[in-house]
Amino acid sequence: MGGAYYVGELHHSRAGYGLIADADGGRAVNSDAPEIAISSDVLRKWQRIVDLLANIMHVPSAVVCKIEPPDYTHYTVISSSNSTGNPFPVDQIFSMDIGTFCETVIKSREPLLVANGLENDQWKSAPEMRVGMVSYLGFPVFWPDGRVFGTICVLDNKTNRYSDMYQELLSHCRDVLQGDLQTLARLGSELEEQKAHLSELFARVPEAIVLADRDCRIVRVNPEFTKIFGYTAEEAIGRRLQDLIAPDELQEEVESVMYRMVPTGGVFAVETVRRHKNGMPVPVSLLCVPVSSLGSGDTGYVIYRDMTETKRLQDEQRRYQEIQLELAHANRIATIGQLSASITHELNQPLTGILTNCSTGLRMLTDDSPNLDGAREAIRRTMRDANRASEVILRLRTLYSKREVTAELVDLNETTREVIALSLGELQKGQVIVRTEFADDLPLVIGDRVQLQQVVLNLLLNALDAMIGVNDRPRQLVVKTHRQEGDCVGVSVQDSGVGFEPHTVDKLFEAFYTTKQDGMGMGLSVSRSIIESHHGRLWAVPHDGAGATFSFSIPCRTNTNIQ
Amino acid sequence: MKPLRESSAIERSLVAVVDDDESVRESLPDLLREFGFAAHAFSSAENFLASDSIGKTRCLILDIAMPGMTGLALQRELKIRKHKIPIIFITAQKDEAVRVRAFEQGAAEFLLKPFSDTALLAALDTALRSS
Ligand SMILES: Nc1ncnc2c1ncn2[C@@H]1O[C@H](COP(=O)(O)OP(=O)(O)OP(=O)(O)O)[C@@H](O)[C@H]1O
Ligand SMILES: [Mg+2]
């Protein structure tokens, strides 16, 4: 591109210059574009270039200048050759209205060659003349977007026409500079993009984020912080975390959390409570992320998740469980209602014995010749029957009483036997043949005996209901207990009833699902929640032939609490 | 027991008790003997049907709800076999339908458990007179 550019004198026209490619006369265009810093690496490289230029071209001065945004009223020398007689030190500033060579190049966006300014009216009073630099060759340097970055130029203290080769060399150096600017601009925009992403994240995460410094002072907060704690960014920045959002009794905790961030450098989480501007406590789960860039003086980010809603859900869950327990109790009572007939039966049997034995005994004693042996035997039987009656009452009371859930050692054989005894009347009335197969080495389980009885009772009554309509085969009920692998104990209730379609199996366990006219549909659902609270499983299998088997199993050596 | 009672027992009317409940089976025969009857207890309807007492029984005290053959079924079975034994039903369950059914099938008396000795005596009186 040797002689292709304008060489010669240039008219200085203020209106004509544009610092930017799409100049609209306003210098402010792009002035708010972020300033890209020239890294020290690049500056070192440019220093070598100007040094080489001065050396090769035998001139006292080779310089790179940079026009300074945002107002472009002056430019600065940013690289200057280390050569004898160079009058321009790095960082020297030139105003843009004193008519220097570089000012002209910047304004015209064109290269400029002045062989000897003293021989030219336009240049003889240029500021360079005063420091003895009479000749000039300079090129404008552009940013990739077309804005003028500044100039690269050489100056001589004598007439110098700068051969085509030198012009080409300088032009080539200008290209190198522009290549560097391109790289810087690209890195810069990538950085900007990342910053933008980070800002977006900062603005949009549903958690409050605080950047804090070593003194726990707030450096930066995101909008969510204001939502959760009530303080605007202006109110928060500069305040100490413990002063702003710590409840009085947790001052020390806040500090210790912050101090823990400094040495560890690792991320950690804390569940705690902070205070809203209005004084209300805010349950939070906070995540502490120490920052590695130590130079900034920032200790790290604290991310607060508002747990109010989660806590509310947990409370709701707890309440739901309470209701379930209430229901279990209600269900127990309802079942007892159903059972009352059977209980009457259970009580009336021993009462009959008592009354009959007493009559017999009385008669034997009041006879003309009293039969003492017979009376003694009758009284012994009376006592036995009375005990039997009181056992029934005791069983009834345990079933009725609404107690806290307890964890005790339970023998499922005994529990199951009791429930069968209690429902025997009902089962007999339904012409059900009951067979039991109890494992005799059954380990104890930890659980709530009454609740487990409730489950067995529900299963028995369901089995009974399932067999009531069956007339073409024996109504057979087999209740088994067994030890299972994995330290579990199981109970199964097998009937020869109507069974169910395999695909409806999940429905059966839903609350309020019932196929019975007077059913509530609570039995299995309550039973399942009881078994699950014992960390066990309750399931059903329809038989290939008639009937179904309902079974549960619970671990026998669990120390975990029953909720 | 005294020999006098034992010898005269041969002449006494036999009352059979059929009930699956053990305390009834143990206590009722003693009372019946105190009343002056001979008594024999059976734990199920099937056992009673299989026994040779069936022909000698003057009165049957019969439980309603039993596993296997129920009281009402035994009543029908006896009718089929043309045994005209008067039956006093005893039951722990108050169930009007069952009571009506029992009387329709020809029951002599129907007692709710627990019952007093006088009620039983009155029922036996009714039953034995009906035969
Ligand atoms: N052993 C069984 N065989 C066949 N179907 C069964 C059996 N047990 C339960 N089911 C089916 O599951 C349904 C739900 O049972 P669940 O015990 O939960 O309620 P329910 O017995 O209908 O009413 P409630 O809970 O008031 O006793 C029953 O209505 C029945 O259709
Ligand atoms: Mg049920």
Side-chain angles (χ1 to χ4, degrees), chain A residues 101 134 195 228 231 275 312 350 364 367 388 414 438:
Chain A
F101 295 125
V134 298
K195 267 194 194 158
I228 295 180
Y231 295 100
R275 195 185 53 199
R312 196 184 60 73
M364 285 174 167
D367 224 26
R388 200 175 133 193
E414 191 190 286
F438 288 175

Side-chain angles (χ1 to χ4, degrees), chain A residues 505-538:
Chain A
V505 67
D506 284 334
K507 276 213 163 121
L508 307 188
F509 293 92
E510 285 177 38
F512 304 117
Y513 174 81
T514 180
T515 53
K516 301 166 195 170
Q517 208 143 46
D518 55 353
M520 197 164 45
M522 284 309 297
L524 289 176
S525 128
V526 167
S527 297
R528 181 170 265 184
S529 65
I530 289 174
I531 293 301
E532 279 172 358
S533 76
H534 284 77
H535 308 284
R537 230 156 52 77
L538 168 65

Side-chain angles (χ1 to χ4, degrees), chain B residues 85-117:
Chain B
I85 308 171
I87 296 177
I88 301 171
F89 281 105
I90 53 172
T91 178
Q93 217 93 52
K94 197 177 162 133
D95 188 331
E96 192 49 30
V98 173
R99 207 180 77 92
V100 168
R101 188 76 186 281
F103 279 119
E104 277 171 3
Q105 293 188 172
E109 205 38 280
F110 194 99
L111 294 179
L112 274 180
K113 291 178 184 174
F115 43 79
S116 68
D117 54 351

